[in-house]
Amino acid sequence: MIKIIPTAIENLSPYVPGRLIEEVEVEMGISGMVKLASNENSLGSSPLALAAVEKALPHIFRYGDADSRALKNALAAKYGFDPAGLVCGNGSSEFILVLAHGLINPGANAVMSRPSFTLYAKNVQAAAGRAIEAPLTPEYGHDLQSILDKIDKDTRLVFLDNPLNPTGAYLEAGELTAFYEALPETVILVLDEAYIEFTRKARPDYGTWLKDSERVVIMRTFSKIYGLAGLRAAYAVMSPQLASALNKIRQPFNTSLLAQVGAAAALSDDDFLRRTLNMTWSSLDYYAAELPAIGLKVYPTEANFMMAALPEGRSADEVFQALLRQGVIIRSLSSFGLDRHLRFNAGLEAERRALVEAFKKVLYS
Ligand SMILES: Cc1ncc(COP(=O)(O)O)c(C=O)c1O
């Protein structure tokens, strides 16, 4: 038979998303399940975004603005970015794909931590590049020296999620600046800030090195902080030169008309932002207070989720399945290579209580 599928694609394992709530409810015969598996916003979506999307609905027979100008202007007004260095996208997942396919030629490689967001390695491999993975520090943070050590003459991209998915670890501005300065000039640093809005620490101020550099891409998403995961809207900040290169290869209408208006409206929803942060932080504080008392080791987090390690002898997959039977969906980190670790996101009061009660039942009865 003629070989049609390239080996690089044949060898890829598919992305493992969090389970769909409707699907799990049917499978388990339980209704009203609690889902804390995909780092979504348990408060729902920004009301200002929802109103804008509803208002725009009659117009979806038309194509949206291929350059997302109104959204870029709203981002420029809020954060002071140069609109010429902004690219909008169908979720930040799209940027990972476009960067890998645009900048990784066969023989080139990209370096990332393992574990970190799994789409980095997959997209680099799909682009026939090599994904080189560096281990985390013993505290489950990015090991920046180890990443630097893995870089070679064929490295084009370094992916760094900050905060790090799935552990929640956070890099401060000083560490990032030193890392950027140590990178060879042939490497582009992709800073994935999908969860940056949730940090309680100082946000990195990239100062001049972002403004002057052609070698940095910062990706942010509306999926988490504004509760718009199903809408698919994100933006990336980079030099105008790199932005014009990526604009040539992305799909022209990648950010839908609805995504553009919803995201632009969300940017001014300070009330939703504040409520989201309050819900997230009180939830994470609750987990940190309750879970160690029932034998789980919790890790510091600056994201909207937390990682916890099970007691010796328990496996993440087994506990994940048992929690499903208790009506709670979280994430086993076995697909990230962590067999005794679980990840769950912040939730409403009833959701976070349900998780802790389910843990008690699963671990002790
Ligand atoms: C670190 C990280 N980056 C990017 C994404 C993708 O987000 P989206 O494509 O919804 O913008 C996720 C989603 O979970 C993530 O955890």
Side-chain angles (χ1 to χ4, degrees):
M1 208 173 92
I2 301 168
K3 187 166 159 31
I4 295 172
I5 315 269
T7 310
I9 309 286
E10 230 167 32
N11 291 343
L12 275 181
S13 38
Y15 175 69
V16 185
R19 301 285 312 272
L20 281 178
I21 198 157
E22 301 81 1
E23 180 190 81
V24 181
E25 285 185 347
V26 170
E27 189 181 303
M28 309 305 292
I30 302 177
S31 60
M33 289 196 77
V34 168
K35 185 186 176 199
L36 300 169
S38 299
N39 307 337
E40 293 154 344
N41 191 329
S42 278
L43 285 178
S45 303
S46 148
L48 294 189
L50 289 181
V53 166
E54 255 183 62
K55 197 166 153 228
L57 214 45
H59 304 290
I60 57 169
F61 68 99
R62 296 209 188 276
Y63 289 103
D65 175 4
D67 289 320
S68 302
R69 276 166 292 193
L71 176 54
K72 284 186 197 169
N73 289 340
L75 287 162
K78 187 172 167 102
Y79 296 111
F81 300 131
D82 172 5
L86 288 172
V87 179
C88 294
N90 185 28
S92 42
S93 308
E94 188 199 8
F95 299 132
I96 303 169
L97 183 142
V98 171
L99 284 164
H101 285 272
L103 301 178
I104 302 283
N105 297 321
N109 69 61
V111 181
M112 73 254 354
S113 293
R114 179 176 166 81
S116 66
F117 189 46
T118 51
L119 282 187
Y120 309 144
K122 276 189 211 317
N123 280 295
V124 169
Q125 286 158 352
R130 208 152 60 87
I132 302 181
E133 297 180 310
L136 298 184
T137 64
E139 294 77 37
Y140 294 95
H142 289 291
D143 185 337
L144 296 178
Q145 189 54 51
S146 161
I147 293 175
L148 286 174
D149 292 344
K150 301 269 180 195
I151 291 172
D152 64 25
K153 65 173 184 20
D154 296 318
T155 305
R156 293 293 159 265
L157 295 170
V158 168
F159 287 100
L160 211 54
D161 42 357
N162 190 38
L164 194 163
N165 179 8
T167 74
Y170 187 65
L171 291 166
E172 312 249 2
E175 299 170 273
L176 280 171
T177 309
F179 178 71
Y180 171 74
E181 280 166 2
L183 286 175
E185 291 198 341
T186 44
V187 173
I188 291 177
L189 172 60
V190 183
L191 284 170
D192 181 350
E193 296 193 335
Y195 303 96
I196 196 75
E197 296 89 352
F198 296 101
T199 182
R200 288 187 251 195
K201 298 196 170 163
R203 298 254 300 258
D205 171 6
Y206 302 110
T208 53
W209 61 271
L210 172 63
K211 285 203 181 68
D212 299 344
S213 178
E214 291 185 15
R215 298 189 291 112
V216 187
V217 174
I218 297 180
M219 311 191 297
R220 297 203 188 132
T221 180
F222 291 86
S223 295
K224 317 288 178 178
I225 190 77
Y226 294 115
L228 297 175
L231 189 62
R232 314 304 299 135
Y235 65 97
V237 193
M238 63 200 84
S239 67
Q241 293 85 332
L242 193 52
S244 73
L246 292 193
N247 277 326
K248 286 185 211 162
I249 55 172
R250 67 171 170 84
Q251 282 192 64
F253 302 103
N254 62 344
T255 316
S256 76
L257 186 154
L258 296 181
Q260 290 182 36
V261 297
L267 279 180
S268 58
D269 202 339
D270 293 337
D271 175 60
F272 186 74
L273 187 89
R274 200 169 35 250
R275 288 192 290 121
T276 295
L277 293 178
N278 287 341
M279 181 275 291
T280 304
W281 294 341
S282 56
S283 185
L284 297 174
D285 289 347
Y286 174 79
Y287 294 147
E290 297 291 322
L291 295 178
I294 55 172
L296 290 159
K297 177 173 166 45
V298 298
Y299 292 84
T301 177
E302 293 301 319
N304 69 343
F305 58 81
M306 180 175 271
M307 180 172 83
L310 290 162
E312 286 291 341
R314 303 299 297 254
S315 95
D317 285 345
E318 163 238 332
V319 171
F320 162 76
Q321 286 296 340
L323 287 170
L324 284 185
R325 291 191 287 275
Q326 298 298 325
V328 182
I329 314 170
I330 62 163
R331 197 67 193 257
S332 158
L333 295 185
S334 61
S335 68
F336 286 80
L338 297 171
D339 292 335
R340 214 156 46 80
H341 292 70
L342 300 163
R343 191 197 69 199
F344 37 85
N345 57 261
L348 304 176
E349 256 179 75
E351 294 176 320
R352 54 184 99 137
R353 285 225 180 86
L355 174 61
V356 171
E357 290 311 311
F359 265 133
K360 284 183 189 160
K361 288 205 183 102
V362 165
L363 295 175
Y364 297 106
S365 59

